[in-house]
Every structure is written in structure tokens, then in C-alpha cells.
Amino acid sequence: MKDTWGREITYLRLSVTELCDLRCRYCMPEEGVCKRAHSDLLTEEEMLMAVRAAARLGIEKVRITGGEPLTKPNILSICRGVAQTPGIRETALTTNAIRLPQTAHALREAGVQRINLSLDTLDPNKYTYITRLGSLSQAMKGIEAALEAGFSKVKINTVLIGGFNDQEVPALADLTRKWPVDVRFIELMPMPGNSGFGPESYIPVDRVLAYLPDAVACREDGVARLYHLPGALGDIGLISPVSQHFCTSCNRIRLTADGKLKPCLHSAEEISLKGQDENGMLESMRQAILHKPRCHDVLSAENRSHAARNMNQIGG
Ligand code: SAM
Ligand code: SF4
């Protein structure tokens, strides 16, 4: 369905857990999260009911996210349920890749068509620093497992952080020559809990182009502007949620693991689905779409997101 600003809403980001096996500094606190009571979280049946309601309203694509979705014990059955929902044409998943060696094939069999992987650095020490817990070699094994499992158009998402990984742009971009992947640089977003990053960390994603003199502009792909390096197997994507937000073409709503619909990533407004039947969920979702704001406020290190949650509690 269309929102009040004429945007067709076709994309649901479904967060299945707030928990994660990493603790990325820009995403969640070092101590992790207080586990919510089971009764506060959506059950698998409620998640799938919400997806059915969303599909009845015209949602065609669902991206399963978290926290880390692969820490969820019933993740395969959730993916299967989403993929089998009438009207859902694309089932995608975003992961830190750590658990993919054990799960990549099973995810494909469960109906996941597209997979996005997060990787901010190719330096083992910096990887452990930014994730606070992770091992680069594990993440790389996960990326290789995704490629071996045969996912098409695998995307690697890199949060561009001034002074941390901007110098690594050429090396990260080179992955598009090594593997058939897109590497997408995304601007760091100032969320409520990541105030440890100073203004120098927030650099416009166009800065990437200064490091890639050979990159040729090719086209747009959703929120990403795509470039291509000579001889590469995939594209470079630039995603600019801070310097040039894409509110005018926003086609998405979000559902959190505790059952809150978020019409806008950077707004505190939430509508609860917990405990409703499918028709109730559909009506709440219609309200959420109708309440989608035209645009969020300008974001910067000083003007932080009004999301009222950290990213692991939203799903990115
Ligand atoms: N755990 C999975 C992962 O890392 O891919 C899925 C959830 S994670 C919240 C989804 C995406 O949000 C990741 O690509 C992550 O890098 C990105 N993200 C988290 N916090 C962010 C921030 N403050 N600014 C920009 N991207 C962020
Ligand atoms: Fe976990 Fe993903 Fe957040 Fe990193 S970005 S802490 S992997 S949820």
C-alpha cells in the first residue's frame, strides 16, 4: 500500500532477535543486552503471522535481521516460513557471517535467496577491535561459505568510519575483483548508544571515490549508487543515510524482535503487534504505514537519531 506521501511500501525488515555473538562498537553496548522475558518477544508463529499480514498489504520483500539472526535457534524454520508466505517474492538475510560455515547451505534450502554480510576491515586486529569479540578469519570463512552455497549477488556491507577504515577502501573494494560480490560502503549513523564516535568518524560516503580513481559510475540499486572497477566481478555501492538521506524513496517498515513496528528507523514512534491476531496486525501495520513520516531530522554527531534504540534492537 501507499503511505500518505505516495510512497509504495513493499519492504519489511524483520528483526528476529536483539542478541548477538559480536558487540560492534557502533551498534550495541559492550555488556550486551538485558535479555527480555520470553513473553515480551514475538513467537515464531507471531512473526510469520505478521509477515502474512504484511504480504496482504503489499509487502513483497522481507529481510531477516537482528541482532545476529543466526544466533536464533529456530532461524531456519523462520526463514522457511517467510519464504513460503504467499506474496513474498524475495527472502533475504543480513548476517555478520560468523556462523555461515554451519548454516549457509541450510539457509538456501530454507528459501533464503539473498544474503548481505557485514565486514568493516581486513585487518585481524582491527576486526577484533571494532566487533569487540570477533575473529576476522571466522568472518572470512563465513563469506566463503556463502559463496560456496551459491547465493547470487552476495553483498558485503562496510560501515565507513573516518580514521578507522577509510584508508582500507581500496583493499575492501578489491574484494569485488576477487569474488563475485558487491561491496557497499555505508555511512556511520549516530544512534543513541554510540556516542563514543566523534565528529571525525562521520565522513560522507562520497569520500570513497577519492580512493578509487578507476571507479566508473554505473547505476542505482535501491538506496545504493553503484560504481564498477575495471575487471571486477561485482560493483561498489555507496549508501548515504547521513549526508544525503533517501527518505523520498523510502519503501520500508521495520518490525523489532519485541513486536514493535517502526514506521521510520530514526523516529521514536512504535506501534505494538504483540498479542494481536492476523487481522489486528494488518490494521496496526496499515496505521504504521499511514504514520510514516515524510522525512527524519538531519543526522550528525551532534544531532543523533531519535530512534530510542540501538541498532541491534532495530535490525539496521
Ligand atoms: N548482525 C547482523 C550484521 O551485522 O550484519 C545483522 C544486524 S546489523 C544491526 C545490520 C547492519 O546494520 C550491519 O550491516 C551493521 O553494520 C549495520 N549497522 C549497525 N549499526 C550501525 C550504525 N550505527 N551505522 C551504520 N550501520 C550500522
Ligand atoms: Fe551484532 Fe550486527 Fe550489531 Fe555487529 S552490527 S553488534 S554483528 S548486530
Side-chain angles (χ1 to χ4, degrees), residues 13 20 24 26-27 65-69 94-96 116-118 120 157 159 186-191 194 311-312 315-316:
R13 293 184 70 100
C20 188
C24 300
Y26 46 72
C27 180
T65 175
E68 175 47 46
T94 298
T95 170
N96 61 27
N116 285 4
L117 312 169
S118 301
D120 298 331
N157 287 337
V159 180
I186 178 162
E187 290 169 354
L188 174 65
M189 288 181 259
M191 303 306 288
N194 68 4
M311 209 60 109
N312 69 297

mmCIF file of all heavy atoms in Angstrom, residues 13 20 24 26-27 65-69 94-96 116-118 120 157 159 186-191 194 311-312 315-316, ligand 1:
data_model
loop_
_atom_site.group_PDB
_atom_site.id
_atom_site.type_symbol
_atom_site.label_atom_id
_atom_site.label_comp_id
_atom_site.label_asym_id
_atom_site.label_seq_id
_atom_site.Cartn_x
_atom_site.Cartn_y
_atom_site.Cartn_z
ATOM 1 N N ARG A 13 11.652 -5.117 7.091
ATOM 2 C CA ARG A 13 12.849 -5.652 7.767
ATOM 3 C C ARG A 13 12.375 -6.281 9.071
ATOM 4 O O ARG A 13 11.805 -5.589 9.926
ATOM 5 C CB ARG A 13 13.867 -4.530 8.031
ATOM 6 C CG ARG A 13 14.478 -3.966 6.758
ATOM 7 C CD ARG A 13 15.539 -2.944 7.049
ATOM 8 N NE ARG A 13 16.738 -3.512 7.618
ATOM 9 C CZ ARG A 13 17.852 -3.767 6.931
ATOM 10 N NH1 ARG A 13 17.922 -3.494 5.653
ATOM 11 N NH2 ARG A 13 18.904 -4.293 7.534
ATOM 12 N N CYS A 20 23.378 -10.998 20.045
ATOM 13 C CA CYS A 20 24.412 -11.103 19.017
ATOM 14 C C CYS A 20 25.640 -11.779 19.603
ATOM 15 O O CYS A 20 25.910 -11.663 20.800
ATOM 16 C CB CYS A 20 24.768 -9.716 18.502
ATOM 17 S SG CYS A 20 25.863 -9.813 17.068
ATOM 18 N N CYS A 24 29.631 -5.020 18.052
ATOM 19 C CA CYS A 24 30.216 -3.924 17.266
ATOM 20 C C CYS A 24 30.010 -2.587 17.981
ATOM 21 O O CYS A 24 28.922 -2.301 18.482
ATOM 22 C CB CYS A 24 29.604 -3.904 15.878
ATOM 23 S SG CYS A 24 29.902 -5.444 14.999
ATOM 24 N N TYR A 26 29.665 0.442 17.129
ATOM 25 C CA TYR A 26 28.686 1.427 16.676
ATOM 26 C C TYR A 26 27.256 0.921 16.809
ATOM 27 O O TYR A 26 26.308 1.617 16.496
ATOM 28 C CB TYR A 26 28.952 1.798 15.201
ATOM 29 C CG TYR A 26 29.188 0.607 14.303
ATOM 30 C CD1 TYR A 26 28.152 -0.241 13.955
ATOM 31 C CD2 TYR A 26 30.466 0.308 13.839
ATOM 32 C CE1 TYR A 26 28.367 -1.346 13.157
ATOM 33 C CE2 TYR A 26 30.697 -0.792 13.030
ATOM 34 C CZ TYR A 26 29.639 -1.618 12.699
ATOM 35 O OH TYR A 26 29.857 -2.710 11.922
ATOM 36 N N CYS A 27 27.114 -0.333 17.255
ATOM 37 C CA CYS A 27 25.798 -0.965 17.206
ATOM 38 C C CYS A 27 25.211 -1.277 18.566
ATOM 39 O O CYS A 27 24.028 -1.060 18.797
ATOM 40 C CB CYS A 27 25.908 -2.253 16.389
ATOM 41 S SG CYS A 27 24.361 -3.169 16.233
ATOM 42 N N THR A 65 16.800 -9.996 9.993
ATOM 43 C CA THR A 65 17.975 -9.345 10.556
ATOM 44 C C THR A 65 17.938 -9.484 12.074
ATOM 45 O O THR A 65 17.209 -10.307 12.623
ATOM 46 C CB THR A 65 18.025 -7.876 10.046
ATOM 47 O OG1 THR A 65 19.104 -7.194 10.677
ATOM 48 C CG2 THR A 65 16.755 -7.103 10.272
ATOM 49 N N GLY A 66 18.748 -8.699 12.779
ATOM 50 C CA GLY A 66 18.782 -8.778 14.233
ATOM 51 C C GLY A 66 19.482 -7.531 14.772
ATOM 52 O O GLY A 66 19.564 -6.526 14.071
ATOM 53 N N GLY A 67 20.120 -7.659 15.894
ATOM 54 C CA GLY A 67 20.942 -8.687 16.450
ATOM 55 C C GLY A 67 21.499 -9.613 15.366
ATOM 56 O O GLY A 67 21.515 -9.275 14.206
ATOM 57 N N GLU A 68 22.008 -10.715 15.783
ATOM 58 C CA GLU A 68 22.533 -11.665 14.803
ATOM 59 C C GLU A 68 21.489 -12.769 14.569
ATOM 60 O O GLU A 68 21.258 -13.609 15.445
ATOM 61 C CB GLU A 68 23.865 -12.248 15.292
ATOM 62 C CG GLU A 68 24.436 -13.326 14.406
ATOM 63 C CD GLU A 68 24.437 -12.982 12.904
ATOM 64 O OE1 GLU A 68 24.838 -11.871 12.521
ATOM 65 O OE2 GLU A 68 23.992 -13.839 12.113
ATOM 66 N N PRO A 69 20.866 -12.771 13.397
ATOM 67 C CA PRO A 69 19.778 -13.736 13.170
ATOM 68 C C PRO A 69 20.228 -15.189 13.285
ATOM 69 O O PRO A 69 19.432 -16.048 13.672
ATOM 70 C CB PRO A 69 19.302 -13.411 11.749
ATOM 71 C CG PRO A 69 20.359 -12.563 11.133
ATOM 72 C CD PRO A 69 21.066 -11.879 12.248
ATOM 73 N N THR A 94 20.489 -10.654 6.596
ATOM 74 C CA THR A 94 21.725 -9.906 6.861
ATOM 75 C C THR A 94 22.414 -10.538 8.062
ATOM 76 O O THR A 94 21.776 -10.763 9.093
ATOM 77 C CB THR A 94 21.409 -8.424 7.161
ATOM 78 O OG1 THR A 94 20.805 -7.857 6.011
ATOM 79 C CG2 THR A 94 22.672 -7.644 7.470
ATOM 80 N N THR A 95 23.702 -10.824 7.927
ATOM 81 C CA THR A 95 24.417 -11.525 8.986
ATOM 82 C C THR A 95 25.867 -11.051 9.084
ATOM 83 O O THR A 95 26.426 -10.548 8.104
ATOM 84 C CB THR A 95 24.397 -13.052 8.737
ATOM 85 O OG1 THR A 95 25.305 -13.694 9.661
ATOM 86 C CG2 THR A 95 24.812 -13.430 7.321
ATOM 87 N N ASN A 96 26.456 -11.281 10.264
ATOM 88 C CA ASN A 96 27.886 -10.977 10.417
ATOM 89 C C ASN A 96 28.749 -12.110 9.851
ATOM 90 O O ASN A 96 29.972 -12.032 9.928
ATOM 91 C CB ASN A 96 28.230 -10.695 11.886
ATOM 92 C CG ASN A 96 27.945 -11.895 12.799
ATOM 93 O OD1 ASN A 96 27.960 -13.037 12.377
ATOM 94 N ND2 ASN A 96 27.684 -11.602 14.072
ATOM 95 N N ASN A 116 23.256 -10.581 2.773
ATOM 96 C CA ASN A 116 24.171 -9.455 2.962
ATOM 97 C C ASN A 116 25.074 -9.767 4.155
ATOM 98 O O ASN A 116 24.589 -10.238 5.193
ATOM 99 C CB ASN A 116 23.412 -8.158 3.266
ATOM 100 C CG ASN A 116 22.751 -7.579 2.034
ATOM 101 O OD1 ASN A 116 22.782 -8.170 0.959
ATOM 102 N ND2 ASN A 116 22.123 -6.426 2.200
ATOM 103 N N LEU A 117 26.361 -9.484 3.993
ATOM 104 C CA LEU A 117 27.336 -9.827 5.025
ATOM 105 C C LEU A 117 28.026 -8.555 5.495
ATOM 106 O O LEU A 117 28.332 -7.684 4.685
ATOM 107 C CB LEU A 117 28.380 -10.782 4.432
ATOM 108 C CG LEU A 117 27.796 -11.960 3.642
ATOM 109 C CD1 LEU A 117 28.874 -12.682 2.872
ATOM 110 C CD2 LEU A 117 27.092 -12.903 4.593
ATOM 111 N N SER A 118 28.291 -8.464 6.786
ATOM 112 C CA SER A 118 28.913 -7.243 7.318
ATOM 113 C C SER A 118 30.397 -7.468 7.548
ATOM 114 O O SER A 118 30.792 -8.458 8.166
ATOM 115 C CB SER A 118 28.235 -6.845 8.631
ATOM 116 O OG SER A 118 26.868 -6.636 8.380
ATOM 117 N N ASP A 120 33.872 -4.787 8.180
ATOM 118 C CA ASP A 120 34.335 -3.399 8.207
ATOM 119 C C ASP A 120 35.828 -3.243 7.975
ATOM 120 O O ASP A 120 36.302 -2.116 7.800
ATOM 121 C CB ASP A 120 33.981 -2.763 9.566
ATOM 122 C CG ASP A 120 32.487 -2.736 9.802
ATOM 123 O OD1 ASP A 120 31.738 -2.663 8.812
ATOM 124 O OD2 ASP A 120 32.071 -2.827 10.975
ATOM 125 N N ASN A 157 28.617 -5.451 3.327
ATOM 126 C CA ASN A 157 28.340 -4.096 3.818
ATOM 127 C C ASN A 157 29.454 -3.648 4.756
ATOM 128 O O ASN A 157 29.771 -4.343 5.720
ATOM 129 C CB ASN A 157 27.021 -4.067 4.598
ATOM 130 C CG ASN A 157 25.817 -4.187 3.678
ATOM 131 O OD1 ASN A 157 25.895 -3.879 2.494
ATOM 132 N ND2 ASN A 157 24.711 -4.651 4.229
ATOM 133 N N VAL A 159 30.629 -0.445 7.157
ATOM 134 C CA VAL A 159 30.335 0.865 7.743
ATOM 135 C C VAL A 159 31.611 1.701 7.643
ATOM 136 O O VAL A 159 32.662 1.304 8.156
ATOM 137 C CB VAL A 159 29.878 0.734 9.217
ATOM 138 C CG1 VAL A 159 29.569 2.108 9.798
ATOM 139 C CG2 VAL A 159 28.668 -0.182 9.330
ATOM 140 N N ILE A 186 28.670 2.168 3.700
ATOM 141 C CA ILE A 186 27.507 2.864 4.277
ATOM 142 C C ILE A 186 27.983 3.818 5.360
ATOM 143 O O ILE A 186 28.887 3.480 6.139
ATOM 144 C CB ILE A 186 26.470 1.839 4.800
ATOM 145 C CG1 ILE A 186 25.291 2.547 5.447
ATOM 146 C CG2 ILE A 186 27.039 0.841 5.775
ATOM 147 C CD1 ILE A 186 24.062 1.683 5.602
ATOM 148 N N GLU A 187 27.421 5.005 5.372
ATOM 149 C CA GLU A 187 27.845 5.983 6.379
ATOM 150 C C GLU A 187 27.451 5.536 7.787
ATOM 151 O O GLU A 187 26.353 4.987 7.985
ATOM 152 C CB GLU A 187 27.208 7.347 6.075
ATOM 153 C CG GLU A 187 27.788 7.980 4.823
ATOM 154 C CD GLU A 187 27.003 9.189 4.334
ATOM 155 O OE1 GLU A 187 25.918 9.487 4.900
ATOM 156 O OE2 GLU A 187 27.459 9.818 3.370
ATOM 157 N N LEU A 188 28.334 5.802 8.716
ATOM 158 C CA LEU A 188 28.065 5.545 10.132
ATOM 159 C C LEU A 188 26.877 6.397 10.578
ATOM 160 O O LEU A 188 26.862 7.608 10.333
ATOM 161 C CB LEU A 188 29.319 5.920 10.938
ATOM 162 C CG LEU A 188 29.234 5.875 12.445
ATOM 163 C CD1 LEU A 188 29.017 4.451 12.945
ATOM 164 C CD2 LEU A 188 30.524 6.445 13.057
ATOM 165 N N MET A 189 25.897 5.766 11.211
ATOM 166 C CA MET A 189 24.734 6.531 11.689
ATOM 167 C C MET A 189 24.861 6.791 13.193
ATOM 168 O O MET A 189 25.220 5.889 13.957
ATOM 169 C CB MET A 189 23.446 5.759 11.400
ATOM 170 C CG MET A 189 23.085 5.743 9.931
ATOM 171 S SD MET A 189 21.556 4.850 9.627
ATOM 172 C CE MET A 189 22.178 3.287 9.046
ATOM 173 N N PRO A 190 24.588 8.018 13.628
ATOM 174 C CA PRO A 190 24.723 8.371 15.052
ATOM 175 C C PRO A 190 23.511 7.893 15.852
ATOM 176 O O PRO A 190 22.521 8.606 15.985
ATOM 177 C CB PRO A 190 24.816 9.904 15.024
ATOM 178 C CG PRO A 190 24.079 10.299 13.771
ATOM 179 C CD PRO A 190 24.165 9.173 12.799
ATOM 180 N N MET A 191 23.603 6.684 16.361
ATOM 181 C CA MET A 191 22.489 6.112 17.124
ATOM 182 C C MET A 191 22.619 6.526 18.588
ATOM 183 O O MET A 191 23.688 6.973 19.022
ATOM 184 C CB MET A 191 22.494 4.581 16.973
ATOM 185 C CG MET A 191 22.409 4.115 15.531
ATOM 186 S SD MET A 191 21.005 4.815 14.612
ATOM 187 C CE MET A 191 19.617 3.936 15.339
ATOM 188 N N ASN A 194 25.807 5.093 20.532
ATOM 189 C CA ASN A 194 27.187 5.020 20.014
ATOM 190 C C ASN A 194 27.877 6.383 20.006
ATOM 191 O O ASN A 194 28.621 6.712 19.107
ATOM 192 C CB ASN A 194 27.245 4.338 18.641
ATOM 193 C CG ASN A 194 26.584 5.142 17.520
ATOM 194 O OD1 ASN A 194 26.132 6.258 17.734
ATOM 195 N ND2 ASN A 194 26.536 4.574 16.338
ATOM 196 N N MET A 311 21.072 -0.061 17.297
ATOM 197 C CA MET A 311 20.798 -0.730 16.026
ATOM 198 C C MET A 311 20.497 -2.218 16.211
ATOM 199 O O MET A 311 19.685 -2.776 15.475
ATOM 200 C CB MET A 311 21.988 -0.523 15.095
ATOM 201 C CG MET A 311 21.629 -0.525 13.661
ATOM 202 S SD MET A 311 20.466 0.738 13.169
ATOM 203 C CE MET A 311 21.519 1.810 12.227
ATOM 204 N N ASN A 312 21.148 -2.884 17.163
ATOM 205 C CA ASN A 312 20.877 -4.317 17.341
ATOM 206 C C ASN A 312 19.432 -4.562 17.780
ATOM 207 O O ASN A 312 18.927 -5.675 17.653
ATOM 208 C CB ASN A 312 21.836 -4.922 18.382
ATOM 209 C CG ASN A 312 21.545 -4.403 19.777
ATOM 210 O OD1 ASN A 312 21.660 -3.205 20.040
ATOM 211 N ND2 ASN A 312 21.143 -5.278 20.669
ATOM 212 N N GLY A 315 17.627 -3.620 13.840
ATOM 213 C CA GLY A 315 17.905 -4.518 12.709
ATOM 214 C C GLY A 315 18.582 -3.841 11.547
ATOM 215 O O GLY A 315 18.742 -4.431 10.486
ATOM 216 N N GLY A 316 18.949 -2.575 11.727
ATOM 217 C CA GLY A 316 19.677 -1.880 10.659
ATOM 218 C C GLY A 316 18.748 -1.302 9.620
ATOM 219 O O GLY A 316 17.528 -1.434 9.713
HETATM 220 N N1 SAM B 1 24.201 -8.848 12.898
HETATM 221 C C1 SAM B 1 23.927 -8.701 11.521
HETATM 222 C C2 SAM B 1 25.029 -7.958 10.811
HETATM 223 O O1 SAM B 1 25.861 -7.342 11.476
HETATM 224 O O2 SAM B 1 25.048 -8.000 9.594
HETATM 225 C C3 SAM B 1 22.579 -8.045 11.254
HETATM 226 C C4 SAM B 1 22.151 -6.916 12.136
HETATM 227 S S1 SAM B 1 23.114 -5.427 11.988
HETATM 228 C C5 SAM B 1 22.279 -4.373 13.130
HETATM 229 C C6 SAM B 1 22.624 -4.844 10.389
HETATM 230 C C7 SAM B 1 23.551 -3.844 9.751
HETATM 231 O O3 SAM B 1 23.495 -2.632 10.479
HETATM 232 C C8 SAM B 1 25.005 -4.261 9.709
HETATM 233 O O4 SAM B 1 25.484 -4.215 8.380
HETATM 234 C C9 SAM B 1 25.707 -3.216 10.549
HETATM 235 O O5 SAM B 1 26.994 -2.937 10.100
HETATM 236 C C10 SAM B 1 24.770 -2.031 10.394
HETATM 237 N N2 SAM B 1 24.886 -1.037 11.461
HETATM 238 C C11 SAM B 1 24.786 -1.220 12.785
HETATM 239 N N3 SAM B 1 24.940 -0.061 13.455
HETATM 240 C C12 SAM B 1 25.157 0.882 12.515
HETATM 241 C C13 SAM B 1 25.391 2.302 12.556
HETATM 242 N N4 SAM B 1 25.434 2.963 13.712
HETATM 243 N N5 SAM B 1 25.568 2.940 11.381
HETATM 244 C C14 SAM B 1 25.526 2.294 10.195
HETATM 245 N N6 SAM B 1 25.286 0.972 10.086
HETATM 246 C C15 SAM B 1 25.114 0.279 11.236
#
